[in-house]
Amino acid sequence: MRKSILVLLAAVSAQGFSQTVYEKSEVLIPMRDGVKLFTSIYTPKDSPKAAPFMLQRTPYSCAPYGPTRLKTAFGPDGTYGAEGYIFVTQDVRGRYMSEGEFKWMTPYLPKKKPGQTDESTDTYDTIEWLLKNVPKNNGRVGIYGTSFPGHYAAQALIDPHPALVAASPQAPMADNWLGDDMHHNGAFYLPHAMNFIAGFGKVRQGPTTNYGPRVFSHDTNDGYQFFLKMGPLKNALTQYNMNQIPLWKEWVSHPNYDEYWATQNVPQHLKKADKVAVLLVGGWFDAEDLQGPLAIHQAIERFTPRNNTSIVMGPWYHGSWNGGPGNSLYDIAWTTRTGEDFRNQLQRPFFRKYLWQDADATIPEAQVFDAGADVWRSFGQWPPKAAKRLSLYLEDDRTLSAGRRTLRPGFREYVSDPASPVPNSATTTVGMARSYMLEDQRFVASRPDVLTYESPVLGSDLTLAGPLKASLFVSTTGTDADFVVKLIDVFPNDYSVASPRGADVKMGGYQMMVRGEPMRARFRKSWSKPIPFVPGKVEKVEFSMPDVCHTFRKGHRFMVQIHSTWFPLMDRNPQTFVPNIFEASAEDFKAATHRVFSGGSTASRLQVTVLP
């Protein structure tokens, strides 16, 4: 009871602060096609000098609504209220109280006709209106946001307004088919996609402040059993009311990387981002949008080498960098308070420098946290120029061989059964467990459908920094298959640093997943034109995995795991080739034997990048 009273008093105090310091206005800002976007503006009272704008555009509501109802947290981490910015939050087109039609990751239109719009024009028109209609502004605008709002911050960089001087896309979606949120290399991230879109994708009847409940409930905490019981993906339409969600029907009708998905890709358009100072932010253990900031940074570097862009990657889950100390995640603890470091030494000085011009923000090109060494690392470019490639070869005696393959060919095989898929987490949840990104993998290591390869004990520290690439030589008795590749840090048996979850967690021998990524192998030759396997034929399946920065310490081991189901994180492959897995029937799902080859000309490997 006492805690509840204290929370209530804190909220009342914050509300009182807002009323004392800010004047709130709610306006409908007209876009060039006549559609009006609902916008909340908080202007500081009695400000002694002109102030810059901090803008966030969101599909998640700019509540609270009403001129007398004020929010109590301001800026990226909620603590910017006393700094005198003009805070602007906008419902994007077609969401909540804004007019117009919402589109999923609205494609950019390079050659617009008069009156045509996209997210870059909506941002541009919003900034133009603010500059002309909000008094005592200093003519400088910063935009920020995490996840979908981060995507809109990235879209603002495509054709930026001259007054936009600072942008911080945080966990931005770059491509929802190749590596963010809904798909990874063609594999569908089932619970995340279905749970989210069951509420977010509901059709509204005109502007509203409330979309109501999602179209289905789980009625269980066991997501593994819930999604297994659902059966083929097409059953979601009839059993769980997903036929009420137009976006779901759009997605399932586009199983391949066709024009629908390709036009939503943001990085391809970032050719003017050098006009804005950019602070990209992401988490190494972000289960939703790890790939986005990395892909956007890579594109900006490629298109505009003289840009003013930095990337920060920390040991964080989705958005956690703006709350808490950042010194632990699930079972792993650090002495470094990474969240506080980011907020106080990087993010706040960044906005002060470019919006107020009263601070020095010395931010390297890449500021990344090494979770294995418990240290921040700074680089003049990412991936680091000094990093060298090293191949970890998978051997048929279950070992990993660094840099040198066995000449004698061999293989290991396993039976993959869609009726008994490999679980992705030991945590019971109906959603996408945050823990799965670095969770102890001992819970699946002994399964017969999981191949494990392990290195000798390391005699010295070895730091990986940069991209990973899996090159597998495989065959199957079926005509389709998925392959999941995991890179794992195996702790020594006498490891003594306790888990933040308590002494019951045995950290000796812990198998910490550093990176795991699936590949839907029907796309091994083309993302847009899937092809079946010929049973028994050996083929190469090669794919990129998201970057890492991780030191494998002396006394630790490298481990690689390979399997073909990862449930319910990703949907099940029938292992019988069908044109669209979203339309597969129960009889299409069949067990198959997969082989992973080693040695000689068919030496499977994981290519890593190592710092000298």
Side-chain angles (χ1 to χ4, degrees):
M1 175 64 76
R2 174 176 169 78
K3 183 177 180 181
S4 298
I5 292 173
L6 289 176
V7 171
L8 178 60
L9 289 174
V12 172
S13 176
Q15 175 75 6
F17 169 82
S18 299
Q19 292 173 338
T20 302
V21 176
Y22 288 101
E23 292 179 344
K24 178 186 179 184
S25 59
E26 296 179 329
V27 298
L28 288 168
I29 297 180
M31 301 294 103
R32 62 190 62 185
D33 62 348
V35 169
K36 297 181 176 65
L37 304 187
F38 189 94
T39 310
S40 293
I41 304 171
Y42 290 78
T43 307
K45 296 180 179 179
D46 305 320
S47 177
K49 58 182 178 179
F53 294 101
M54 289 201 77
L55 169 64
Q56 182 181 64
R57 305 186 64 243
T58 178
Y60 298 132
S61 166
C62 63
Y65 296 100
T68 62
R69 299 184 63 204
L70 278 66
K71 65 180 181 180
T72 58
F74 297 90
D77 66 14
T79 66
Y80 284 52
E83 299 198 23
Y85 292 96
I86 303 170
F87 294 99
V88 181
T89 309
Q90 183 177 77
D91 289 336
V92 297
R93 181 180 292 254
R95 292 292 294 174
Y96 285 90
M97 291 298 290
S98 283
E99 298 175 355
E101 179 184 355
F102 175 77
K103 291 183 180 179
W104 180 263
M105 291 182 68
T106 310
Y108 173 68
L109 300 175
K111 298 179 180 179
K112 299 179 184 66
K113 298 177 182 178
Q116 284 189 311
T117 64
D118 52 31
E119 299 303 341
S120 70
T121 65
D122 282 358
T123 307
Y124 193 106
D125 293 350
T126 297
I127 292 174
E128 187 73 8
W129 189 95
L130 292 170
L131 293 170
K132 293 178 179 179
N133 292 277
V134 178
K136 295 194 69 174
N137 75 77
N138 71 3
R140 290 188 288 274
V141 181
I143 190 168
Y144 68 95
T146 298
S147 195
F148 223 138
H151 164 75
Y152 292 117
Q155 287 264 35
L157 298 171
I158 295 176
D159 193 7
H161 191 286
L164 183 64
V165 297
S168 185
Q170 304 186 5
M173 302 179 300
D175 191 311
N176 259 180
W177 200 91
L178 287 176
D180 287 315
D181 281 300
M182 309 310 169
H183 297 80
H184 286 233
N185 296 320
F188 187 59
Y189 271 32
L190 175 57
H192 179 55
M194 185 169 163
N195 293 346
F196 173 73
I197 210 66
F200 184 89
K202 290 183 66 176
V203 177
R204 68 170 193 174
Q205 303 299 323
T208 182
T209 61
N210 189 351
Y211 280 73
R214 69 173 67 207
V215 298
F216 74 89
S217 60
H218 299 92
D219 298 323
T220 179
N221 290 323
D222 190 338
Y224 187 95
Q225 290 301 324
F226 174 85
F227 289 104
L228 197 61
K229 181 181 177 181
M230 184 178 76
L233 287 172
K234 67 179 183 178
N235 291 347
L237 291 167
T238 55
Q239 295 180 13
Y240 297 103
N241 302 318
M242 295 302 288
N243 59 338
Q244 299 178 20
I245 307 296
L247 266 172
W248 177 266
K249 291 190 287 187
E250 280 185 22
W251 292 351
V252 301
S253 64
H254 294 277
N256 308 325
Y257 196 64
D258 58 12
E259 184 180 9
Y260 173 82
W261 296 107
T263 57
Q264 295 176 18
N265 175 280
V266 175
Q268 65 185 317
H269 300 300
L270 293 172
K271 300 176 182 179
K272 299 180 182 179
D274 57 331
K275 301 179 184 300
V276 185
V278 181
L279 181 65
L280 284 159
V281 186
W284 288 130
F285 306 115
D286 183 348
E288 298 174 45
D289 296 301
L290 164 60
Q291 185 63 24
L294 293 166
I296 288 173
H297 176 261
Q298 184 183 57
I300 293 174
E301 289 296 303
R302 182 172 71 252
F303 290 134
T304 57
R306 295 185 180 181
N307 62 77
N308 184 12
T309 298
S310 296
I311 185 168
V312 180
M313 299 293 296
W316 304 312
Y317 65 80
H318 195 61
S320 66
W321 45 87
N322 273 315
N327 61 349
S328 67
L329 185 58
Y330 196 59
D331 285 326
I332 310 300
W334 300 280
T335 59
T336 310
R337 299 172 75 86
T338 64
E340 294 174 3
D341 289 347
F342 164 70
R343 296 190 295 275
N344 299 330
Q345 299 174 27
L346 298 172
Q347 179 168 256
R348 193 177 299 270
F350 171 79
F351 284 115
R352 294 294 312 189
K353 176 178 181 177
Y354 294 105
L355 296 180
W356 289 105
Q357 299 181 317
D358 64 358
D360 179 33
T362 305
I363 304 174
E365 172 75 24
Q367 181 81 355
V368 300
F369 189 75
D370 181 338
D374 190 1
V375 64
W376 284 106
R377 297 186 184 272
S378 300
F379 299 101
Q381 67 180 60
W382 186 263
K385 186 176 182 180
K388 304 299 182 183
R389 294 179 181 178
L390 175 68
S391 291
L392 302 177
Y393 287 98
L394 282 56
E395 306 291 0
D396 60 4
D397 63 357
R398 307 187 180 197
T399 63
L400 283 174
S401 176
R404 182 177 296 178
R405 66 186 176 191
T406 299
L407 296 179
R408 174 181 53 83
F411 66 85
R412 294 176 65 195
E413 67 180 22
Y414 58 97
V415 177
S416 176
D417 186 356
S420 181
V422 177
N424 66 278
S425 175
T427 301
T428 301
T429 176
V430 294
M432 182 167 60
R434 292 171 178 164
S435 60
Y436 99 85
M437 293 286 286
L438 74 169
E439 195 171 339
D440 186 357
Q441 298 301 302
R442 286 179 290 189
F443 77 103
V444 297
S446 62
R447 284 181 60 117
D449 53 356
V450 176
L451 299 184
T452 298
Y453 303 83
E454 195 169 18
S455 75
V457 173
L458 295 175
S460 60
D461 291 357
L462 192 64
T463 300
L464 307 189
L468 307 174
K469 179 181 286 186
S471 297
L472 305 180
F473 288 90
V474 301
S475 69
T476 176
T477 58
T479 51
D480 201 357
D482 294 341
F483 293 95
V484 176
V485 176
K486 302 176 191 170
L487 175 63
I488 297 165
D489 184 348
V490 182
F491 294 9
N493 291 332
D494 61 354
Y495 189 83
S496 59
V497 178
S499 164
R501 294 195 296 137
D504 291 342
V505 179
K506 306 303 179 185
M507 297 301 293
Y510 196 93
Q511 297 177 4
M512 174 188 171
M513 190 171 80
V514 175
R515 185 64 70 235
E517 193 75 359
M519 173 66 185
R520 183 138 286 170
R522 59 170 43 208
F523 300 112
R524 62 196 178 278
K525 296 186 183 297
S526 168
W527 296 122
S528 61
K529 297 178 180 179
I531 57 173
F533 280 95
V534 175
K537 181 182 179 181
V538 180
E539 294 205 47
K540 186 177 183 179
V541 175
E542 188 170 70
F543 62 100
S544 296
M545 303 169 67
D547 297 5
V548 298
C549 182
H550 188 90
T551 293
F552 289 75
R553 304 302 296 265
K554 178 181 178 180
H556 291 226
R557 297 173 185 261
F558 283 102
M559 178 182 284
V560 170
Q561 285 183 357
I562 296 178
H563 46 88
S564 291
T565 50
W566 214 15
F567 195 76
L569 178 68
M570 71 176 192
D571 66 315
R572 296 173 300 148
N573 190 317
Q575 302 187 145
T576 301
F577 187 86
V578 293
N580 184 349
I581 291 178
F582 291 105
E583 298 175 355
S585 299
E587 56 269 21
D588 295 319
F589 290 77
K590 296 179 180 178
T593 300
H594 304 321
R595 287 182 173 179
V596 178
F597 290 83
S598 58
S601 61
T602 55
S604 297
R605 63 177 177 160
L606 177 63
Q607 182 176 286
V608 300
T609 44
V610 180
L611 288 181

